[in-house]
Amino acid sequence: LGFQALFISVISFALASLSLAVFYPKVSVKASFPLNARNILSTQFTILNDSIIAIKNVKVSVSISRITTSDGATIDGGSSFEARLREPNSLENKDVTSLGAGETNTVQFPQSFNVGDNVNFVDMAIVVCFESLFWSRERLSRFVTVMDTEGSLHWKSEPLAK
């Protein structure tokens, strides 16, 4: 009887762990090309629900760590990504209440936060808050700008702890 109980416990634990791994919500964010080649802040970002289940109560915001401009101005939001900018009208579908498995939505940097076309560095995070079966989650996707050899800025995904 002891071996059977141990075997059933091990199998139950393995199945529970597998279920958590399969149903754990996965959300990713990818940057596209800027709508205005001279303004990196005109970039649209795509939110993707990589899960096999829907997520709901989706809220998207932007958290700025640092923006510098070519004329020397700096906006410093701190390195913790705690301050959030949210402009509901900047969302393609206003507030997307849910994203089904594999569904996407596009968001853009808040247009009310206009620093012009002379941006030369940005360090920010797109913040996606959502709920799933058993979880309320917040997913931060950090992006920094890098300059190519022609002087154009592009987004690069970076880990949060850099």
Side-chain angles (χ1 to χ4, degrees), residues 66-76 115 118 120-121:
R66 185 177 204 82
I67 296 177
T68 58
T69 62
S70 56
D71 60 3
T74 300
I75 299 166
D76 192 355
V115 293
N118 62 347
N120 65 5
F121 178 75

Side-chain angles (χ1 to χ4, degrees), residues 50-72:
D50 291 320
S51 305
I52 64 169
I53 56 173
I55 58 174
K56 59 186 179 177
N57 297 326
V58 179
K59 305 280 187 219
V60 181
S61 58
V62 175
S63 183
I64 297 169
S65 176
R66 185 177 204 82
I67 296 177
T68 58
T69 62
S70 56
D71 60 3

Side-chain angles (χ1 to χ4, degrees), residues 111-126:
Q111 296 304 298
S112 62
F113 193 82
N114 187 354
V115 293
D117 295 346
N118 62 347
V119 171
N120 65 5
F121 178 75
V122 180
D123 182 357
M124 67 162 206
I126 301 292

Side-chain angles (χ1 to χ4, degrees), residues 30-148:
K30 306 244 185 286
S32 64
F33 294 101
L35 299 175
N36 174 352
R38 294 176 296 135
N39 185 351
I40 193 70
L41 297 181
S42 68
T43 302
Q44 292 185 329
F45 293 85
T46 301
I47 315 294
L48 169 64
N49 177 7
D50 291 320
S51 305
I52 64 169
I53 56 173
I55 58 174
K56 59 186 179 177
N57 297 326
V58 179
K59 305 280 187 219
V60 181
S61 58
V62 175
S63 183
I64 297 169
S65 176
R66 185 177 204 82
I67 296 177
T68 58
T69 62
S70 56
D71 60 3
T74 300
I75 299 166
D76 192 355
S79 61
S80 63
F81 295 105
E82 289 180 17
R84 308 291 159 85
L85 295 173
R86 187 159 189 280
E87 183 178 302
N89 293 332
S90 72
L91 303 180
E92 178 182 292
N93 297 317
K94 303 269 193 242
D95 272 329
V96 176
T97 57
S98 67
L99 287 175
E103 287 186 345
T104 63
N105 188 49
T106 304
V107 296
Q108 189 171 339
F109 198 87
Q111 296 304 298
S112 62
F113 193 82
N114 187 354
V115 293
D117 295 346
N118 62 347
V119 171
N120 65 5
F121 178 75
V122 180
D123 182 357
M124 67 162 206
I126 301 292
V127 183
V128 183
C129 298
F130 59 92
E131 294 175 6
S132 189
L133 286 177
F134 310 108
W135 296 277
S136 290
R137 300 267 308 155
E138 178 178 87
R139 168 82 162 101
L140 279 74
S141 299
R142 181 180 180 204
F143 293 91
V144 298
T145 53
V146 292
M147 192 172 290
D148 65 19

